[in-house]
Amino acid sequence: MPSLSVWPTGQRDTLAQLRDTGCVPGTETDTERIPPAVAAHAIATYTRPGDLVLDPDCGAGTVLTEALRADRRALGLTARTQWWTLARANVTAAKTTGAWRDGSVLDARPKVLATIRAAGLIGRVGLILTSLRTAPDRATGPGRDPVESALADLATTLLYCEPLLRSGGHVAVVARPLRCPDGSLVDLATPVLAAGTSAGLAPVERCIALTAGLRGSRLVTRASLAERRAAARALAAGAPTALSAHHEVLVFQLAHDAELAAAAAVGIPWPTEDEVIRPAVNRVTYPGWGRAA
């Protein structure tokens, strides 16, 4: 069955999802976390049991928890002590309930993925799943826009991550809707797609992960109190604003893999494994890399 571009991931509110998955208290303070239901759907769609799932900016660790619960291996990175403590606690909680045992969190920035410390991960990651984090503390100077800073960080992170992706693997970036001061939506998809392309990845899917519940043909929003108050203020000012009902998910593959898939879709025979060697990534050639069966 083809994968759906609209994911029904909002049937439970986010706090209920955290309780259902056994996340430790405090996880809810990570307001830019990937909701557990969204992480679980992405992991089930793009990986198999035993695959390695990487979140290079894992926050409180919801992606890691869902990967372990789905019998996948999990690795997360974060440079913030607060998130590292919560992510480790969530990984430990998942393991104590019988989840997959191979999960860890590194107190490090994504740049470590481009060093010799990550050499053993080259070509072995099945899914890189992360969110676009736009907290104000990401801005590095006065007047620096946190969204622009987050997009620049994402572009660099994807560049570090690209060599780690195995043939046939996926990269999924989750972006929650943001609004400009005038109430209009910020176009996040265009710069995220550009960031992936500049890292040597090819966009293959653009999905909507619902954060609203489905009730027949209606959407039941689960907006926060702050979002509802902002919508009320906008309405009073004569500029009605819709409440958030989804996150956007941009999915990529290695450019070479995407080309092979496109060729297969139109009936062009794929070369044999001996004929296909993965091209250089980040200007480095890794001999012996062939297309996975």
Side-chain angles (χ1 to χ4, degrees):
M1 292 291 291
S3 59
L4 297 175
S5 59
V6 178
W7 300 355
T9 49
Q11 295 301 89
R12 299 273 283 167
D13 67 75
T14 54
L15 293 181
Q17 291 178 35
L18 295 179
R19 291 193 300 269
D20 293 344
T21 55
C23 288
V24 300
T27 305
E28 71 281 355
T29 61
D30 180 9
T31 56
E32 298 195 315
R33 65 187 180 273
I34 296 178
V38 175
H41 188 99
I43 291 166
T45 302
Y46 300 115
T47 66
R48 301 182 298 269
D51 278 352
L52 174 59
V53 177
L54 167 68
D55 186 345
D57 195 358
C58 69
T62 51
V63 167
L64 310 183
T65 298
E66 290 306 313
L68 295 174
R69 283 163 48 87
D71 294 332
R72 275 69 166 172
R73 295 175 293 145
L75 174 63
L77 281 71
T78 180
R80 293 188 59 182
T81 302
Q82 175 190 9
W83 299 148
W84 180 79
T85 302
L86 283 170
R88 283 204 56 177
N90 279 322
V91 166
T92 300
K95 290 179 179 179
T96 57
T97 58
W100 187 274
R101 309 292 294 180
D102 191 358
S104 57
V105 188
L106 300 183
D107 181 9
R109 298 185 183 279
K111 187 175 182 180
V112 75
L113 298 174
T115 68
I116 192 63
R117 291 177 61 188
L121 297 176
I122 292 173
R124 299 191 179 277
V125 178
L127 174 64
I128 298 165
L129 175 58
T130 196
S131 63
L132 179 66
R133 292 181 170 269
T134 56
D137 61 358
R138 296 194 75 97
T140 56
R144 183 82 182 273
D145 182 78
V147 176
E148 291 182 0
S149 179
L151 288 166
D153 287 348
L154 176 68
T156 303
T157 297
L158 293 181
L159 190 65
Y160 296 146
C161 288
E162 195 266 1
L164 310 185
L165 199 64
R166 66 167 173 79
S167 187
H170 292 80
V171 177
V173 179
V174 179
R176 63 187 180 90
L178 297 175
R179 294 190 181 276
C180 301
D182 63 0
S184 61
L185 284 170
V186 177
D187 176 17
L188 296 175
T190 299
V192 169
L193 290 171
T197 302
S198 66
L201 301 167
V204 293
E205 290 185 62
R206 182 174 178 177
C207 304
I208 294 297
L210 292 179
T211 55
L214 283 169
R215 298 292 184 271
S217 60
R218 294 188 307 114
L219 286 178
V220 180
T221 58
R222 305 189 187 282
S224 66
L225 181 60
E227 289 174 321
R228 293 180 185 278
R229 286 175 173 171
R233 289 194 296 269
L235 179 62
T241 299
L243 295 171
S244 297
H246 73 281
H247 288 354
E248 194 156 16
V249 186
L250 287 308
V251 184
F252 303 86
Q253 282 191 293
L254 295 169
H256 184 58
D257 286 347
E259 290 172 3
L260 291 176
V266 296
I268 299 175
W270 287 15
T272 64
E273 183 174 349
D274 292 338
E275 294 173 325
V276 177
I277 298 298
R278 182 171 168 179
V281 290
N282 294 349
R283 295 173 296 280
V284 177
T285 301
Y286 296 92
W289 281 13
R291 182 179 167 275

